[in-house]
């Protein structure tokens, strides 16, 4: 009887240990993140985290981690749709959004492509800026996570070279210019725990010197 009991617990332990790591590897999300993502259907917007809330603010200041580009990952597919629903929602409508803004610390952003004819939104996984142009641009910025405020920045690069993964697991690079470039810079900042106010603060300090 004792032998059977030992075998039973050994099998249970093996099954649970296999399920845990594989589940994390397959999804790339923690169990808490999965619960948050799957709490509503794919057309439901998520709550936007704001700096006016202390817990929200701490998360927004946290660096996000890479996500595995996997077209068969149902959780990733569900989350990307909910993130899009959030940026297109009348309450939180914007020209871009990053995963940390809805409480998911993963390198995922949506950006509206004003440099393309259809002005469509596109999703990017693990976006990284490889090069910044020396030429700058002046642009007015606001943020879904900073309600009731907008400011003018003069330090955004006019042109950037970016690398990213697509939802079908392809790795690409491209050069983006103008206002769309500023949106990319703004959203990628979010992935690194940076808010546009940080750039504004630096500009004020540089001017004062």
């Amino acid at each position: 009887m004792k032998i059977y009991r030992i075998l039973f617990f050994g099998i249970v332990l093996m099954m649970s240990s296999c399920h845990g790591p594989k589940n994390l590897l397959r999804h790339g999300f923690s169990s808490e993140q999965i619960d948050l993502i799957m709490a509503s259907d794919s057309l439901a917007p998520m709550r936007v985290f704001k700096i006016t809330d202390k817990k929200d603010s701490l998360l927004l200041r946290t660096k996000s981690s890479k996500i595995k580009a996997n077209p068969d990952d149902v959780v990733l597919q569900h989350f990307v749709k909910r993130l899009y629903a959030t940026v297109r929602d009348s309450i939180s409508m914007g020209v871009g959004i990053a995963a940390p803004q809805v409480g998911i610390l993963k390198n995922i952003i949506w950006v509206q492509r004003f440099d393309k004819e259809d002005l469509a939104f596109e999703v990017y996984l693990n976006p990284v800026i490889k090069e910044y142009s020396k030429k700058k641009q002046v642009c007015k910025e606001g943020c879904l996570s900073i309600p009731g405020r907008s400011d003018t920045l003069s330090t955004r690069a006019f042109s950037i070279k970016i690398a990213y993964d697509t939802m079908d697991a392809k790795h690409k690079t491209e050069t983006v210019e103008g206002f769309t470039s500023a949106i990319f810079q703004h959203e990628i900042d979010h992935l690194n725990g940076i808010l546009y106010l940080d750039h504004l603060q630096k500009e004020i300090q540089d001017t004062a010197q």
Side-chain angles (χ1 to χ4, degrees):
M1 188 70 176
K2 188 175 181 181
I3 293 175
Y4 286 120
R5 188 176 297 173
I6 292 171
L7 285 172
F8 173 76
F9 283 115
I11 292 169
V12 170
L13 181 63
M14 183 176 67
M15 289 176 66
S16 61
S17 64
C18 287
H19 175 74
K22 283 185 179 178
N23 197 43
L24 185 61
L25 179 63
R26 182 163 57 91
H27 293 297
F29 297 101
S30 69
S31 58
E32 292 81 5
Q33 290 171 338
I34 293 172
D35 288 343
L36 183 60
I37 291 166
M38 306 304 289
S40 298
D41 67 59
S42 62
L43 298 178
M46 300 178 74
R47 182 178 75 85
V48 176
F49 281 45
K50 298 180 172 64
I51 63 169
T52 48
D53 180 282
K54 185 176 180 180
K55 288 184 179 180
D56 287 5
S57 184
L58 289 172
L59 184 138
L60 289 167
R61 288 300 190 173
T62 304
K63 188 179 176 68
S64 295
S65 60
K66 289 188 69 174
I67 185 74
K68 184 177 180 180
N70 180 1
D72 298 320
D73 188 337
V74 294
V75 176
L76 176 59
Q77 294 284 347
H78 194 86
F79 174 61
V80 163
K81 291 175 183 176
R82 291 200 68 191
L83 190 60
Y84 176 73
T86 306
V87 76
R88 300 304 295 153
D89 184 48
S90 59
I91 297 175
S92 55
M93 189 174 288
V95 296
I97 194 168
Q101 291 181 273
V102 294
I104 304 296
L105 290 170
K106 290 296 178 182
N107 291 343
I108 305 171
I109 64 173
W110 277 96
V111 169
Q112 187 169 12
R113 297 299 302 254
F114 287 93
D115 55 343
K116 295 185 178 182
E117 284 187 13
D118 56 1
L119 307 181
F121 277 83
E122 295 180 356
V123 64
Y124 302 87
L125 310 182
N126 307 312
V128 177
I129 300 175
K130 295 293 188 179
E131 295 177 12
Y132 294 86
S133 67
K134 291 182 179 179
K135 180 181 178 181
K136 305 298 181 182
Q137 62 178 314
V138 177
C139 53
K140 193 170 186 178
E141 291 189 32
C143 181
L144 300 179
S145 296
I146 308 173
R149 177 170 180 168
S150 62
D151 297 276
T152 300
L153 295 184
S154 57
T155 54
R156 293 294 192 193
F158 176 78
S159 172
I160 57 172
K161 182 178 180 181
I162 58 172
Y164 57 88
D165 297 318
T166 65
M167 286 293 289
D168 55 356
K170 294 179 181 176
H171 188 72
K172 295 185 176 182
T173 60
E174 67 173 297
T175 298
V176 186
E177 298 180 342
F179 181 55
T180 303
S181 163
I183 301 173
F184 270 103
Q185 292 171 72
H186 180 112
E187 303 307 335
I188 292 174
D189 273 350
H190 273 300
L191 303 181
N192 293 296
I194 299 169
L195 302 176
Y196 87 82
L197 294 179
D198 300 333
H199 295 285
L200 182 65
Q201 183 72 21
K202 186 177 185 304
E203 286 185 18
I204 293 172
Q205 291 174 349
D206 290 345
T207 302
Q209 291 177 355

